Amino acid sequence: CCMSKARAVFFDIDHTLFSHTLHDVPASAYTALEKLKQNGSQIALCTSRAVEELVNLPPKLTALLDGVVCAQGGIIMDHGKIIASKIIDEGDAERVIDYCRRNNLVVRYSGVHGENSHDLHYTQEISDLFYFLYKMRPGQTLWKHQPLVNIIFYTRDAQQVDAIRPLLHNSHLMVMHFANEVTAADANKASGMLELAAHWGFDESQTVAFGDGYNDVEMIRRAGLGIAMGNGCDEAKQAADYVSDDIDRDGVYKACLHFGLIEEENHAEN
């Protein structure tokens, strides 16, 4: 087999690579990452988390990373250096933040320089959610028209989402159950993945994506090999080439083994 095993391998973080039952990356997934790197693959995170929301990831994980696509494609980093920022249209940002101010919705905005803050409104529930997921809490500073790469507004009310949709003339809206995410028109996980892979000299067919959530669907679909976690949502599983086991049952490791991206310990030597 002369085909290189080297790939650009992209991982969603939460519930794909980082287990919230362990509050860490499973041991088998660390093994998979180390073996992927030995095979010449590049490892990247591809996440909705903004830069500031990555600060408390395990150092053992960050040491293995070659790149990060964060803020749902809003910022792309190669070995810690920002190579692309996708700025949200200022009018769109102003309209959505103004709507949220007037309708008592909590917003978390993320700026091109790493600013990470709630705007006018704040709830303990949402602050606690950030702390539970990311071991940090955004600040609270009114937005003053600085360039943004990511806005999340929190509502479970479909009518409010429908009211905000037409305010966004030139942006990408990812509607989740509660956290609804605004990025620049050309920014999402899939586009960020392909841009970073190309920067590294890999084409689409040499990309592998692991994900579990609704916002991973496009990335899983566009990757050369798209893998959904067993604990993932139905949409992610339908988009995938392969559904692996759950995160807490060695899903990442098993999928890497299944596709020959890595080899089992015992006969790696021959």
mmCIF file of all heavy atoms in Angstrom, residues 3-50:
data_model
loop_
_atom_site.group_PDB
_atom_site.id
_atom_site.type_symbol
_atom_site.label_atom_id
_atom_site.label_comp_id
_atom_site.label_asym_id
_atom_site.label_seq_id
_atom_site.Cartn_x
_atom_site.Cartn_y
_atom_site.Cartn_z
ATOM 1 N N MET A 3 -0.243 4.296 -0.627
ATOM 2 C CA MET A 3 -0.985 5.526 -0.359
ATOM 3 C C MET A 3 -0.612 6.068 1.023
ATOM 4 O O MET A 3 -0.629 5.350 2.010
ATOM 5 C CB MET A 3 -2.477 5.211 -0.396
ATOM 6 C CG MET A 3 -3.326 6.455 -0.452
ATOM 7 S SD MET A 3 -5.063 5.993 -0.523
ATOM 8 C CE MET A 3 -5.779 7.428 0.262
ATOM 9 N N SER A 4 -0.237 7.340 1.055
ATOM 10 C CA SER A 4 0.126 7.940 2.334
ATOM 11 C C SER A 4 -1.080 7.958 3.263
ATOM 12 O O SER A 4 -2.207 8.203 2.843
ATOM 13 C CB SER A 4 0.609 9.371 2.096
ATOM 14 O OG SER A 4 0.534 10.097 3.285
ATOM 15 N N LYS A 5 -0.805 7.691 4.535
ATOM 16 C CA LYS A 5 -1.875 7.758 5.535
ATOM 17 C C LYS A 5 -2.121 9.195 5.977
ATOM 18 O O LYS A 5 -3.060 9.465 6.710
ATOM 19 C CB LYS A 5 -1.482 6.931 6.765
ATOM 20 C CG LYS A 5 -1.594 5.434 6.598
ATOM 21 C CD LYS A 5 -1.292 4.756 7.932
ATOM 22 C CE LYS A 5 -1.800 3.333 7.999
ATOM 23 N NZ LYS A 5 -1.420 2.497 6.878
ATOM 24 N N ALA A 6 -1.245 10.110 5.565
ATOM 25 C CA ALA A 6 -1.344 11.486 6.051
ATOM 26 C C ALA A 6 -2.659 12.135 5.627
ATOM 27 O O ALA A 6 -3.067 12.052 4.475
ATOM 28 C CB ALA A 6 -0.171 12.313 5.559
ATOM 29 N N ARG A 7 -3.300 12.759 6.581
ATOM 30 C CA ARG A 7 -4.580 13.436 6.346
ATOM 31 C C ARG A 7 -4.601 14.731 7.162
ATOM 32 O O ARG A 7 -3.819 14.901 8.104
ATOM 33 C CB ARG A 7 -5.753 12.570 6.832
ATOM 34 C CG ARG A 7 -5.937 11.235 6.134
ATOM 35 C CD ARG A 7 -6.606 11.411 4.771
ATOM 36 N NE ARG A 7 -6.903 10.123 4.151
ATOM 37 C CZ ARG A 7 -6.032 9.375 3.492
ATOM 38 N NH1 ARG A 7 -4.767 9.763 3.411
ATOM 39 N NH2 ARG A 7 -6.389 8.244 2.936
ATOM 40 N N ALA A 8 -5.517 15.593 6.815
ATOM 41 C CA ALA A 8 -5.854 16.714 7.686
ATOM 42 C C ALA A 8 -7.106 16.276 8.445
ATOM 43 O O ALA A 8 -8.159 16.073 7.834
ATOM 44 C CB ALA A 8 -6.113 17.970 6.871
ATOM 45 N N VAL A 9 -6.954 16.073 9.753
ATOM 46 C CA VAL A 9 -8.035 15.474 10.543
ATOM 47 C C VAL A 9 -8.608 16.534 11.488
ATOM 48 O O VAL A 9 -7.874 17.127 12.281
ATOM 49 C CB VAL A 9 -7.540 14.254 11.342
ATOM 50 C CG1 VAL A 9 -8.724 13.505 11.944
ATOM 51 C CG2 VAL A 9 -6.724 13.314 10.445
ATOM 52 N N PHE A 10 -9.912 16.745 11.356
ATOM 53 C CA PHE A 10 -10.602 17.829 12.070
ATOM 54 C C PHE A 10 -11.584 17.251 13.079
ATOM 55 O O PHE A 10 -12.377 16.371 12.744
ATOM 56 C CB PHE A 10 -11.352 18.722 11.073
ATOM 57 C CG PHE A 10 -10.424 19.496 10.181
ATOM 58 C CD1 PHE A 10 -9.871 18.911 9.044
ATOM 59 C CD2 PHE A 10 -10.081 20.806 10.483
ATOM 60 C CE1 PHE A 10 -8.987 19.620 8.230
ATOM 61 C CE2 PHE A 10 -9.202 21.524 9.678
ATOM 62 C CZ PHE A 10 -8.657 20.926 8.552
ATOM 63 N N PHE A 11 -11.522 17.775 14.288
ATOM 64 C CA PHE A 11 -12.379 17.290 15.368
ATOM 65 C C PHE A 11 -13.230 18.410 15.946
ATOM 66 O O PHE A 11 -12.687 19.452 16.359
ATOM 67 C CB PHE A 11 -11.524 16.735 16.514
ATOM 68 C CG PHE A 11 -10.740 15.506 16.160
ATOM 69 C CD1 PHE A 11 -9.447 15.616 15.665
ATOM 70 C CD2 PHE A 11 -11.286 14.246 16.336
ATOM 71 C CE1 PHE A 11 -8.706 14.480 15.348
ATOM 72 C CE2 PHE A 11 -10.554 13.103 16.017
ATOM 73 C CZ PHE A 11 -9.268 13.224 15.523
ATOM 74 N N ASP A 12 -14.543 18.184 15.997
ATOM 75 C CA ASP A 12 -15.358 18.986 16.896
ATOM 76 C C ASP A 12 -14.820 18.708 18.303
ATOM 77 O O ASP A 12 -14.239 17.650 18.552
ATOM 78 C CB ASP A 12 -16.824 18.550 16.757
ATOM 79 C CG ASP A 12 -17.699 19.128 17.844
ATOM 80 O OD1 ASP A 12 -17.751 20.370 17.963
ATOM 81 O OD2 ASP A 12 -18.320 18.349 18.591
ATOM 82 N N ILE A 13 -15.012 19.641 19.230
ATOM 83 C CA ILE A 13 -14.486 19.405 20.585
ATOM 84 C C ILE A 13 -15.508 18.689 21.473
ATOM 85 O O ILE A 13 -15.333 17.535 21.840
ATOM 86 C CB ILE A 13 -14.082 20.732 21.277
ATOM 87 C CG1 ILE A 13 -13.020 21.475 20.455
ATOM 88 C CG2 ILE A 13 -13.534 20.431 22.672
ATOM 89 C CD1 ILE A 13 -12.598 22.802 21.059
ATOM 90 N N ASP A 14 -16.570 19.417 21.789
ATOM 91 C CA ASP A 14 -17.470 18.970 22.849
ATOM 92 C C ASP A 14 -18.311 17.774 22.427
ATOM 93 O O ASP A 14 -19.005 17.831 21.414
ATOM 94 C CB ASP A 14 -18.344 20.139 23.303
ATOM 95 C CG ASP A 14 -17.474 21.258 23.879
ATOM 96 O OD1 ASP A 14 -16.890 21.030 24.946
ATOM 97 O OD2 ASP A 14 -17.343 22.312 23.234
ATOM 98 N N HIS A 15 -18.218 16.709 23.167
ATOM 99 C CA HIS A 15 -18.929 15.441 22.943
ATOM 100 C C HIS A 15 -18.378 14.637 21.753
ATOM 101 O O HIS A 15 -18.927 13.599 21.410
ATOM 102 C CB HIS A 15 -20.448 15.648 22.785
ATOM 103 C CG HIS A 15 -21.026 16.550 23.840
ATOM 104 N ND1 HIS A 15 -21.025 16.218 25.175
ATOM 105 C CD2 HIS A 15 -21.580 17.784 23.757
ATOM 106 C CE1 HIS A 15 -21.574 17.211 25.868
ATOM 107 N NE2 HIS A 15 -21.909 18.167 25.042
ATOM 108 N N THR A 16 -17.320 15.133 21.120
ATOM 109 C CA THR A 16 -16.645 14.378 20.064
ATOM 110 C C THR A 16 -15.242 13.983 20.530
ATOM 111 O O THR A 16 -14.875 12.818 20.520
ATOM 112 C CB THR A 16 -16.546 15.206 18.763
ATOM 113 O OG1 THR A 16 -17.870 15.440 18.262
ATOM 114 C CG2 THR A 16 -15.739 14.474 17.700
ATOM 115 N N LEU A 17 -14.473 14.982 20.929
ATOM 116 C CA LEU A 17 -13.101 14.739 21.384
ATOM 117 C C LEU A 17 -12.983 14.932 22.894
ATOM 118 O O LEU A 17 -12.219 14.250 23.554
ATOM 119 C CB LEU A 17 -12.155 15.699 20.652
ATOM 120 C CG LEU A 17 -10.664 15.387 20.697
ATOM 121 C CD1 LEU A 17 -10.363 13.988 20.175
ATOM 122 C CD2 LEU A 17 -9.893 16.432 19.896
ATOM 123 N N PHE A 18 -13.742 15.890 23.406
ATOM 124 C CA PHE A 18 -13.695 16.207 24.833
ATOM 125 C C PHE A 18 -14.965 15.685 25.488
ATOM 126 O O PHE A 18 -16.067 16.078 25.124
ATOM 127 C CB PHE A 18 -13.581 17.719 25.029
ATOM 128 C CG PHE A 18 -13.370 18.140 26.465
ATOM 129 C CD1 PHE A 18 -12.084 18.245 26.988
ATOM 130 C CD2 PHE A 18 -14.453 18.429 27.284
ATOM 131 C CE1 PHE A 18 -11.889 18.635 28.311
ATOM 132 C CE2 PHE A 18 -14.262 18.816 28.603
ATOM 133 C CZ PHE A 18 -12.979 18.921 29.122
ATOM 134 N N SER A 19 -14.776 14.778 26.441
ATOM 135 C CA SER A 19 -15.910 14.152 27.119
ATOM 136 C C SER A 19 -16.292 14.947 28.357
ATOM 137 O O SER A 19 -15.443 15.228 29.204
ATOM 138 C CB SER A 19 -15.537 12.724 27.525
ATOM 139 O OG SER A 19 -16.430 12.262 28.505
ATOM 140 N N HIS A 20 -17.564 15.308 28.439
ATOM 141 C CA HIS A 20 -18.019 16.053 29.617
ATOM 142 C C HIS A 20 -18.374 15.130 30.776
ATOM 143 O O HIS A 20 -18.712 15.602 31.858
ATOM 144 C CB HIS A 20 -19.156 16.995 29.245
ATOM 145 C CG HIS A 20 -18.665 18.169 28.458
ATOM 146 N ND1 HIS A 20 -18.064 19.260 29.044
ATOM 147 C CD2 HIS A 20 -18.621 18.403 27.124
ATOM 148 C CE1 HIS A 20 -17.698 20.117 28.113
ATOM 149 N NE2 HIS A 20 -18.015 19.625 26.937
ATOM 150 N N THR A 21 -18.286 13.817 30.578
ATOM 151 C CA THR A 21 -18.365 12.914 31.740
ATOM 152 C C THR A 21 -16.979 12.787 32.370
ATOM 153 O O THR A 21 -16.845 12.749 33.586
ATOM 154 C CB THR A 21 -18.923 11.522 31.359
ATOM 155 O OG1 THR A 21 -18.280 11.071 30.180
ATOM 156 C CG2 THR A 21 -20.414 11.578 31.122
ATOM 157 N N LEU A 22 -15.932 12.781 31.521
ATOM 158 C CA LEU A 22 -14.555 12.713 32.037
ATOM 159 C C LEU A 22 -13.963 14.086 32.348
ATOM 160 O O LEU A 22 -12.990 14.192 33.068
ATOM 161 C CB LEU A 22 -13.634 12.077 30.982
ATOM 162 C CG LEU A 22 -13.795 10.624 30.613
ATOM 163 C CD1 LEU A 22 -12.854 10.306 29.445
ATOM 164 C CD2 LEU A 22 -13.477 9.735 31.800
ATOM 165 N N HIS A 23 -14.520 15.131 31.724
ATOM 166 C CA HIS A 23 -13.897 16.463 31.700
ATOM 167 C C HIS A 23 -12.478 16.388 31.134
ATOM 168 O O HIS A 23 -11.559 17.060 31.598
ATOM 169 C CB HIS A 23 -13.929 17.121 33.083
ATOM 170 C CG HIS A 23 -15.320 17.399 33.547
ATOM 171 N ND1 HIS A 23 -16.104 18.395 32.990
ATOM 172 C CD2 HIS A 23 -16.098 16.775 34.459
ATOM 173 C CE1 HIS A 23 -17.288 18.382 33.560
ATOM 174 N NE2 HIS A 23 -17.319 17.403 34.449
ATOM 175 N N ASP A 24 -12.321 15.541 30.135
ATOM 176 C CA ASP A 24 -11.025 15.406 29.469
ATOM 177 C C ASP A 24 -11.254 14.662 28.151
ATOM 178 O O ASP A 24 -12.364 14.216 27.862
ATOM 179 C CB ASP A 24 -10.048 14.613 30.356
ATOM 180 C CG ASP A 24 -8.577 14.831 29.982
ATOM 181 O OD1 ASP A 24 -8.294 15.486 28.950
ATOM 182 O OD2 ASP A 24 -7.711 14.335 30.724
ATOM 183 N N VAL A 25 -10.181 14.536 27.412
ATOM 184 C CA VAL A 25 -10.174 13.703 26.213
ATOM 185 C C VAL A 25 -9.967 12.260 26.681
ATOM 186 O O VAL A 25 -9.080 12.003 27.500
ATOM 187 C CB VAL A 25 -9.023 14.135 25.282
ATOM 188 C CG1 VAL A 25 -8.892 13.208 24.084
ATOM 189 C CG2 VAL A 25 -9.227 15.585 24.846
ATOM 190 N N PRO A 26 -10.760 11.293 26.188
ATOM 191 C CA PRO A 26 -10.532 9.900 26.603
ATOM 192 C C PRO A 26 -9.112 9.445 26.249
ATOM 193 O O PRO A 26 -8.540 9.869 25.243
ATOM 194 C CB PRO A 26 -11.563 9.117 25.780
ATOM 195 C CG PRO A 26 -12.634 10.112 25.458
ATOM 196 C CD PRO A 26 -11.926 11.434 25.295
ATOM 197 N N ALA A 27 -8.565 8.566 27.084
ATOM 198 C CA ALA A 27 -7.189 8.089 26.885
ATOM 199 C C ALA A 27 -6.985 7.505 25.492
ATOM 200 O O ALA A 27 -5.956 7.739 24.841
ATOM 201 C CB ALA A 27 -6.841 7.045 27.954
ATOM 202 N N SER A 28 -7.981 6.746 25.019
ATOM 203 C CA SER A 28 -7.837 6.121 23.698
ATOM 204 C C SER A 28 -7.805 7.169 22.583
ATOM 205 O O SER A 28 -7.156 6.977 21.554
ATOM 206 C CB SER A 28 -8.975 5.126 23.451
ATOM 207 O OG SER A 28 -10.222 5.803 23.416
ATOM 208 N N ALA A 29 -8.507 8.276 22.785
ATOM 209 C CA ALA A 29 -8.489 9.338 21.775
ATOM 210 C C ALA A 29 -7.122 10.033 21.754
ATOM 211 O O ALA A 29 -6.618 10.389 20.686
ATOM 212 C CB ALA A 29 -9.612 10.341 22.023
ATOM 213 N N TYR A 30 -6.527 10.232 22.943
ATOM 214 C CA TYR A 30 -5.159 10.760 22.962
ATOM 215 C C TYR A 30 -4.215 9.839 22.180
ATOM 216 O O TYR A 30 -3.370 10.300 21.407
ATOM 217 C CB TYR A 30 -4.646 10.897 24.400
ATOM 218 C CG TYR A 30 -5.034 12.179 25.095
ATOM 219 C CD1 TYR A 30 -5.630 12.157 26.352
ATOM 220 C CD2 TYR A 30 -4.755 13.425 24.525
ATOM 221 C CE1 TYR A 30 -5.969 13.343 27.019
ATOM 222 C CE2 TYR A 30 -5.087 14.610 25.175
ATOM 223 C CZ TYR A 30 -5.693 14.563 26.415
ATOM 224 O OH TYR A 30 -6.021 15.733 27.061
ATOM 225 N N THR A 31 -4.356 8.537 22.382
ATOM 226 C CA THR A 31 -3.523 7.571 21.656
ATOM 227 C C THR A 31 -3.725 7.733 20.144
ATOM 228 O O THR A 31 -2.752 7.760 19.377
ATOM 229 C CB THR A 31 -3.879 6.130 22.083
ATOM 230 O OG1 THR A 31 -3.651 6.008 23.478
ATOM 231 C CG2 THR A 31 -3.038 5.100 21.336
ATOM 232 N N ALA A 32 -4.983 7.868 19.722
ATOM 233 C CA ALA A 32 -5.279 8.045 18.295
ATOM 234 C C ALA A 32 -4.621 9.309 17.756
ATOM 235 O O ALA A 32 -4.008 9.290 16.678
ATOM 236 C CB ALA A 32 -6.791 8.090 18.078
ATOM 237 N N LEU A 33 -4.711 10.413 18.492
ATOM 238 C CA LEU A 33 -4.109 11.670 18.039
ATOM 239 C C LEU A 33 -2.591 11.529 17.896
ATOM 240 O O LEU A 33 -2.003 11.981 16.910
ATOM 241 C CB LEU A 33 -4.416 12.804 19.028
ATOM 242 C CG LEU A 33 -5.877 13.241 19.165
ATOM 243 C CD1 LEU A 33 -5.999 14.346 20.220
ATOM 244 C CD2 LEU A 33 -6.447 13.727 17.845
ATOM 245 N N GLU A 34 -1.974 10.886 18.883
ATOM 246 C CA GLU A 34 -0.517 10.709 18.822
ATOM 247 C C GLU A 34 -0.114 9.861 17.618
ATOM 248 O O GLU A 34 0.866 10.167 16.922
ATOM 249 C CB GLU A 34 -0.026 10.082 20.141
ATOM 250 C CG GLU A 34 -0.032 11.092 21.290
ATOM 251 C CD GLU A 34 -0.097 10.461 22.686
ATOM 252 O OE1 GLU A 34 -0.061 9.214 22.786
ATOM 253 O OE2 GLU A 34 -0.180 11.232 23.664
ATOM 254 N N LYS A 35 -0.876 8.803 17.334
ATOM 255 C CA LYS A 35 -0.569 7.934 16.199
ATOM 256 C C LYS A 35 -0.833 8.649 14.860
ATOM 257 O O LYS A 35 -0.076 8.472 13.896
ATOM 258 C CB LYS A 35 -1.396 6.653 16.278
ATOM 259 C CG LYS A 35 -0.916 5.666 17.345
ATOM 260 C CD LYS A 35 -1.925 4.533 17.503
ATOM 261 C CE LYS A 35 -1.375 3.384 18.322
ATOM 262 N NZ LYS A 35 -0.417 2.555 17.596
ATOM 263 N N LEU A 36 -1.887 9.423 14.799
ATOM 264 C CA LEU A 36 -2.160 10.192 13.581
ATOM 265 C C LEU A 36 -0.979 11.111 13.268
ATOM 266 O O LEU A 36 -0.537 11.215 12.123
ATOM 267 C CB LEU A 36 -3.439 11.020 13.731
ATOM 268 C CG LEU A 36 -4.759 10.250 13.653
ATOM 269 C CD1 LEU A 36 -5.914 11.126 14.140
ATOM 270 C CD2 LEU A 36 -5.045 9.766 12.227
ATOM 271 N N LYS A 37 -0.470 11.773 14.296
ATOM 272 C CA LYS A 37 0.667 12.680 14.087
ATOM 273 C C LYS A 37 1.918 11.915 13.632
ATOM 274 O O LYS A 37 2.649 12.381 12.767
ATOM 275 C CB LYS A 37 0.958 13.461 15.371
ATOM 276 C CG LYS A 37 -0.059 14.543 15.633
ATOM 277 C CD LYS A 37 0.317 15.429 16.802
ATOM 278 C CE LYS A 37 1.398 16.421 16.479
ATOM 279 N NZ LYS A 37 0.877 17.620 15.788
ATOM 280 N N GLN A 38 2.115 10.727 14.193
ATOM 281 C CA GLN A 38 3.254 9.898 13.774
ATOM 282 C C GLN A 38 3.148 9.531 12.296
ATOM 283 O O GLN A 38 4.154 9.353 11.618
ATOM 284 C CB GLN A 38 3.341 8.634 14.631
ATOM 285 C CG GLN A 38 3.852 8.888 16.050
ATOM 286 C CD GLN A 38 3.503 7.753 17.014
ATOM 287 O OE1 GLN A 38 3.131 6.657 16.591
ATOM 288 N NE2 GLN A 38 3.604 8.025 18.303
ATOM 289 N N ASN A 39 1.920 9.425 11.801
ATOM 290 C CA ASN A 39 1.691 9.097 10.382
ATOM 291 C C ASN A 39 1.756 10.321 9.479
ATOM 292 O O ASN A 39 1.433 10.231 8.299
ATOM 293 C CB ASN A 39 0.323 8.433 10.202
ATOM 294 C CG ASN A 39 0.287 7.030 10.783
ATOM 295 O OD1 ASN A 39 1.323 6.404 10.942
ATOM 296 N ND2 ASN A 39 -0.900 6.550 11.088
ATOM 297 N N GLY A 40 2.121 11.471 10.041
ATOM 298 C CA GLY A 40 2.256 12.673 9.218
ATOM 299 C C GLY A 40 0.978 13.452 9.035
ATOM 300 O O GLY A 40 0.934 14.394 8.232
ATOM 301 N N SER A 41 -0.076 13.070 9.756
ATOM 302 C CA SER A 41 -1.328 13.830 9.650
ATOM 303 C C SER A 41 -1.235 15.130 10.432
ATOM 304 O O SER A 41 -0.461 15.245 11.386
ATOM 305 C CB SER A 41 -2.501 12.998 10.178
ATOM 306 O OG SER A 41 -2.750 11.895 9.328
ATOM 307 N N GLN A 42 -2.045 16.095 9.995
ATOM 308 C CA GLN A 42 -2.192 17.348 10.732
ATOM 309 C C GLN A 42 -3.490 17.253 11.524
ATOM 310 O O GLN A 42 -4.503 16.772 11.004
ATOM 311 C CB GLN A 42 -2.268 18.535 9.774
ATOM 312 C CG GLN A 42 -1.042 18.697 8.882
ATOM 313 C CD GLN A 42 0.096 19.394 9.600
ATOM 314 O OE1 GLN A 42 0.810 18.779 10.368
ATOM 315 N NE2 GLN A 42 0.271 20.672 9.342
ATOM 316 N N ILE A 43 -3.462 17.711 12.756
ATOM 317 C CA ILE A 43 -4.606 17.607 13.656
ATOM 318 C C ILE A 43 -5.160 19.005 13.926
ATOM 319 O O ILE A 43 -4.400 19.910 14.297
ATOM 320 C CB ILE A 43 -4.178 17.007 15.019
ATOM 321 C CG1 ILE A 43 -3.452 15.678 14.845
ATOM 322 C CG2 ILE A 43 -5.385 16.882 15.954
ATOM 323 C CD1 ILE A 43 -4.321 14.556 14.413
ATOM 324 N N ALA A 44 -6.455 19.169 13.770
ATOM 325 C CA ALA A 44 -7.063 20.472 14.053
ATOM 326 C C ALA A 44 -8.383 20.296 14.793
ATOM 327 O O ALA A 44 -9.095 19.303 14.613
ATOM 328 C CB ALA A 44 -7.301 21.252 12.762
ATOM 329 N N LEU A 45 -8.703 21.286 15.603
ATOM 330 C CA LEU A 45 -10.037 21.388 16.172
ATOM 331 C C LEU A 45 -10.895 22.189 15.201
ATOM 332 O O LEU A 45 -10.406 23.087 14.516
ATOM 333 C CB LEU A 45 -9.996 22.110 17.518
ATOM 334 C CG LEU A 45 -9.122 21.468 18.595
ATOM 335 C CD1 LEU A 45 -9.140 22.332 19.866
ATOM 336 C CD2 LEU A 45 -9.593 20.053 18.902
ATOM 337 N N CYS A 46 -12.171 21.865 15.165
ATOM 338 C CA CYS A 46 -13.106 22.633 14.331
ATOM 339 C C CYS A 46 -14.345 22.832 15.199
ATOM 340 O O CYS A 46 -15.137 21.912 15.393
ATOM 341 C CB CYS A 46 -13.426 21.866 13.052
ATOM 342 S SG CYS A 46 -14.100 22.903 11.743
ATOM 343 N N THR A 47 -14.487 24.034 15.743
ATOM 344 C CA THR A 47 -15.407 24.221 16.859
ATOM 345 C C THR A 47 -16.172 25.530 16.794
ATOM 346 O O THR A 47 -15.716 26.487 16.170
ATOM 347 C CB THR A 47 -14.604 24.150 18.188
ATOM 348 O OG1 THR A 47 -15.479 24.354 19.300
ATOM 349 C CG2 THR A 47 -13.500 25.205 18.232
ATOM 350 N N SER A 48 -17.312 25.556 17.460
ATOM 351 C CA SER A 48 -18.048 26.807 17.654
ATOM 352 C C SER A 48 -17.432 27.640 18.764
ATOM 353 O O SER A 48 -17.728 28.818 18.882
ATOM 354 C CB SER A 48 -19.499 26.510 18.038
ATOM 355 O OG SER A 48 -20.219 26.125 16.900
ATOM 356 N N ARG A 49 -16.609 27.016 19.598
ATOM 357 C CA ARG A 49 -15.991 27.778 20.677
ATOM 358 C C ARG A 49 -15.183 28.930 20.101
ATOM 359 O O ARG A 49 -14.479 28.776 19.110
ATOM 360 C CB ARG A 49 -15.032 26.897 21.474
ATOM 361 C CG ARG A 49 -15.664 25.794 22.292
ATOM 362 C CD ARG A 49 -14.620 25.312 23.283
ATOM 363 N NE ARG A 49 -14.957 24.061 23.944
ATOM 364 C CZ ARG A 49 -14.384 23.674 25.085
ATOM 365 N NH1 ARG A 49 -13.461 24.435 25.659
ATOM 366 N NH2 ARG A 49 -14.713 22.517 25.641
ATOM 367 N N ALA A 50 -15.253 30.073 20.748
ATOM 368 C CA ALA A 50 -14.417 31.208 20.367
ATOM 369 C C ALA A 50 -13.042 31.043 21.019
ATOM 370 O O ALA A 50 -12.849 30.182 21.877
ATOM 371 C CB ALA A 50 -15.073 32.501 20.823
#
